[in-house]
Amino acid sequence: MTGGTGAMVLLVTGCSIGSAGKLASGGSDTAVTITPANGTAQVKPDGTIEVKASGAKLRAVTVQGQGATVTGKYGDGRKTWRSTRTMTPGTSYTVTAQTDGGKSRTVTSSFTTLKPSQTLSITDITPNITGEKVGVGMPIIVRFDHPVTDKAAVERALRVTPDKPVEGAWRWVGNDQVIYRTKTYWQPHQTVRFQANLAGVNAGNGVYGAKDAKATLAIGAAQITTGDIGGHHMTVTRDGKKLRTIPFSAGNGQTREFTTTSGVHLLMEKGNPVTMTSPGRKEGDPGYYKQVVNYAVRFSNSGEYVHSAPWSVGSQGSANVSHGCLNVSPANAKWYYDTMQRGDVIKLTGTNREVEHDNGWGFWQLSFDKWREGSALR
């Protein structure tokens, strides 16, 4: 039998009538219906499993399968049960319903879900480095393997649960990428759990989520760097206590390209060494450079780093002579490299070039109200 609606099963001694469920142990005047019916194929992954009982209450309902764990809720004084989440495509499930009372009985129904021609999966969750502690400004960046048509359906499947609650919102930055940012910084020293109940979600145009995904973020200390580009110094604090003040030499400001951006940045990645080249220029062009630097900590996609610059130590703390990076001494560069976490905040002031919100992880440049305008659920 195919289809999504099952007939009623009358439980009597030694037999079962109908095909909505299969009698597992025998008999009372209790009637139980399980939908989808036993033997049903091509059940839509976003369909609903429903169990109804008359003549008794449901003691327990379980759904077993190799795919996503299907949860549900009882209703009508435990005479009904309905699933509360979607199912994995192309998977077999067995529903087992047990009735209550002195003559409790068990009914089962086994069915298979539709295997679509195309599925949607998460290909990357950032941050994703085992054992890493991240800063209080850290976003959660999720990338999919295909463009998402029904962004609202997919976004509803995403859950972020911090130990220390704070308001947050998702923002779509393309058809295949969505980013979570909090209204205020995460509270330090806590765990944040991300869960994507994606399996079976109808992402549009017949594409269903292939499987669930999850990640755990360890939020470390609240490490904040503040710097005045005109004052040539930056101060690093941890959980509100000053760690170090570091002299630097920032961009010389002769062009927009060589002007260090002001605004709220996040530390994105580290490299030691990193080869830096002038963007859009080749060897022999005016302004061309190629320089290998040590202990480099990136804070934008436009090529800005805090890095070791032994050649400019004489200007550090007094003049801006770089191509846009923050030049610091080798000793300070190593300390900064060893100390800082991805997602730590670096706030810079003093220039007329503001970092764009989509330049690296410049997400904190947007107000929270503006940020959540990018949600599909607004």
Side-chain angles (χ1 to χ4, degrees):
M1 175 180 177
T2 59
T5 303
M8 182 174 291
V9 174
L10 299 177
L11 301 188
V12 294
T13 303
C15 67
S16 66
I17 301 172
S19 59
K22 183 173 64 177
L23 185 63
S25 60
S28 73
D29 57 356
T30 298
V32 176
T33 303
I34 300 177
T35 305
N38 187 55
T40 303
Q42 303 293 312
V43 174
K44 289 185 177 180
D46 58 340
T48 301
I49 301 172
E50 187 172 34
V51 182
K52 295 181 180 179
S54 62
K57 294 182 179 181
L58 293 167
R59 182 173 65 187
V61 176
T62 60
V63 184
Q64 294 179 309
Q66 296 301 311
T69 300
V70 178
T71 55
K73 288 185 177 180
Y74 293 98
D76 191 23
R78 293 185 74 92
K79 291 183 178 180
T80 64
W81 182 95
R82 290 175 62 89
S83 57
T84 54
R85 69 145 300 165
T86 52
M87 298 169 279
T88 299
T91 299
S92 296
Y93 282 97
T94 297
V95 183
T96 302
Q98 294 178 305
T99 59
D100 213 345
K103 295 182 179 180
S104 63
R105 293 296 180 262
T106 300
V107 176
T108 64
S109 177
S110 296
F111 60 89
T112 57
T113 54
L114 171 73
K115 186 177 182 179
S117 59
Q118 190 176 74
T119 58
L120 181 74
S121 293
I122 291 175
T123 59
D124 183 72
I125 303 168
T126 297
N128 57 2
I129 299 174
T130 302
E132 178 185 26
K133 288 187 177 181
V134 298
V136 295
M138 188 74 203
I140 302 173
I141 304 171
V142 178
R143 185 178 291 276
F144 301 93
D145 62 349
H146 295 292
V148 177
T149 301
D150 192 340
K151 294 182 175 66
V154 170
E155 190 175 327
R156 276 191 289 268
L158 308 179
R159 298 284 184 272
V160 177
T161 309
D163 288 343
K164 302 173 183 178
V166 62
E167 186 179 357
W170 293 96
R171 180 182 181 89
W172 291 85
V173 296
N175 290 330
D176 64 350
Q177 191 175 49
V178 64
I179 300 173
Y180 187 85
R181 201 208 86 183
T182 48
K183 183 176 182 179
T184 58
Y185 299 142
W186 300 110
Q187 288 294 308
H189 309 293
Q190 64 162 319
T191 298
V192 178
R193 293 168 180 84
F194 166 72
Q195 176 74 33
N197 293 327
L198 188 63
V201 170
N202 189 339
N205 295 334
V207 178
Y208 287 91
K211 59 183 179 180
D212 292 351
K214 62 182 179 179
T216 301
L217 289 70
I219 308 298
Q223 297 187 155
I224 309 292
T225 302
T226 55
D228 177 9
I229 294 169
H232 318 293
H233 286 78
M234 62 184 184
T235 299
V236 182
T237 62
R238 176 185 291 156
D239 294 335
K241 297 181 180 179
K242 178 180 172 181
L243 293 183
R244 183 176 292 202
T245 295
I246 300 173
F248 64 74
S249 178
N252 60 40
Q254 294 175 1
T255 64
R256 185 177 187 276
E257 178 186 347
F258 293 164
T259 301
T260 304
T261 57
S262 292
V264 181
H265 311 69
L266 297 179
L267 303 184
M268 300 171 61
E269 62 178 352
K270 301 177 183 181
N272 182 38
V274 170
T275 300
M276 298 187 174
T277 57
S278 48
R281 295 180 178 86
K282 60 182 183 296
E283 191 171 359
D285 289 346
Y288 172 83
Y289 62 85
K290 182 177 180 180
Q291 182 74 49
V292 177
V293 301
N294 294 321
Y295 301 115
V297 181
R298 178 190 285 270
F299 60 89
S300 80
N301 271 353
S302 55
E304 294 172 304
Y305 292 76
V306 177
H307 67 78
S308 174
W311 58 86
S312 69
V313 168
S315 298
Q316 293 166 19
S318 59
N320 292 328
V321 299
S322 85
H323 293 122
C325 292
L326 298 186
N327 289 182
V328 299
S329 71
N332 280 328
K334 185 179 186 306
W335 178 86
Y336 199 77
Y337 185 96
D338 291 341
T339 301
M340 307 311 288
Q341 310 161 133
R342 285 200 300 169
D344 282 344
V345 176
I346 176 168
K347 300 178 182 179
L348 300 175
T349 57
T351 67
N352 60 7
R353 183 185 175 187
E354 286 282 315
V355 65
E356 303 84 356
H357 77 271
D358 56 356
N359 182 354
W361 295 350
F363 311 132
W364 291 93
Q365 286 293 93
L366 293 180
S367 68
F368 187 66
D369 285 342
K370 192 69 176 177
W371 173 264
R372 62 184 173 187
E373 286 179 6
S375 168
L377 302 179
R378 65 187 185 279

